[in-house]
């Protein structure tokens, strides 16, 4: 079993500093937090992050962004934007060598939309 930490607990630092802090502590599992200011795929220096990770024997997982993203949305323009964002994030996760990606399924706030929302999130995650 490998014990580790999420970079979420170091959001006051840049993601590479968080990687070094976790790695230097002797932990060998790291979850990269996929939100700004950390491992959001459009904001991070990919080469610098990959280099920081390569200094350690980490099992790497990613936590997909979820702020303002709702995979359960049944509304086509929102669904398409969420799918593009998650697809780009999964590609980025593969680039940095992640073995898993955690994705929140989203939420629905209207009982009449539950059926369509469930269909929406299932098709998005597939």
């Amino acid at each position: 079993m490998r014990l580790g930490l999420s970079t979420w607990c170091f959001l006051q630092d840049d993601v590479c500093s968080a990687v070094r802090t976790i790695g230097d502590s002797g932990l060998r599992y790291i979850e990269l937090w996929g939100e700004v200011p950390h491992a959001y795929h459009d904001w991070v220096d990919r080469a610098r992050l990959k280099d920081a990770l390569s200094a350690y024997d980490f099992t790497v997982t990613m936590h997909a962004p979820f702020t303002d993203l709702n995979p359960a949305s049944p509304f086509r323009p929102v669904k398409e934007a969420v799918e593009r964002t998650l697809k780009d994030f999964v590609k980025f996760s593969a680039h940095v060598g992640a073995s898993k990606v955690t994705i929140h399924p989203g939420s629905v706030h209207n009982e009449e939309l539950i059926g369509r929302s469930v269909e929406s999130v299932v098709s998005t995650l597939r």
Side-chain angles (χ1 to χ4, degrees):
M1 176 186 305
R2 288 184 170 208
L3 298 177
L5 286 174
S6 173
T7 63
W8 180 80
C9 59
F10 298 105
L11 288 180
Q12 73 279 4
D13 301 323
D14 70 89
V15 69
C16 293
S17 294
V19 166
R20 286 190 295 277
T21 299
I22 294 168
D24 290 348
S25 74
L27 296 170
R28 295 295 171 244
Y29 164 69
I30 190 168
E31 176 194 62
L32 298 176
W33 190 252
E35 296 274 355
V36 173
H38 273 201
Y40 187 73
H41 59 282
D42 283 345
W43 290 69
V44 70
D45 181 331
R46 292 170 184 233
R48 188 169 162 251
L49 176 57
K50 194 167 183 178
D51 185 56
L53 289 167
S54 71
Y56 304 97
D57 181 30
F58 278 133
T59 296
V60 179
T61 64
M62 305 286 283
H63 192 290
F66 63 90
T67 302
D68 298 328
L69 296 178
N70 186 4
S73 177
F75 303 107
R76 178 63 42 204
V78 173
K79 182 176 175 57
E80 289 171 356
V82 169
E83 287 176 349
R84 275 192 312 275
T85 300
L86 292 176
K87 187 175 187 179
D88 290 346
F89 188 80
V90 168
K91 287 179 186 176
F92 167 63
S93 299
H95 173 77
V96 299
S99 61
K100 293 178 177 63
V101 176
T102 298
I103 299 173
H104 284 255
S107 59
V108 61
H109 303 285
N110 181 323
E111 285 188 35
E112 292 181 30
L113 295 177
I114 291 174
R116 284 190 273 171
S117 292
V118 169
E119 289 175 19
S120 180
V121 73
V122 168
S123 71
T124 293
L125 295 179
R126 281 193 177 136

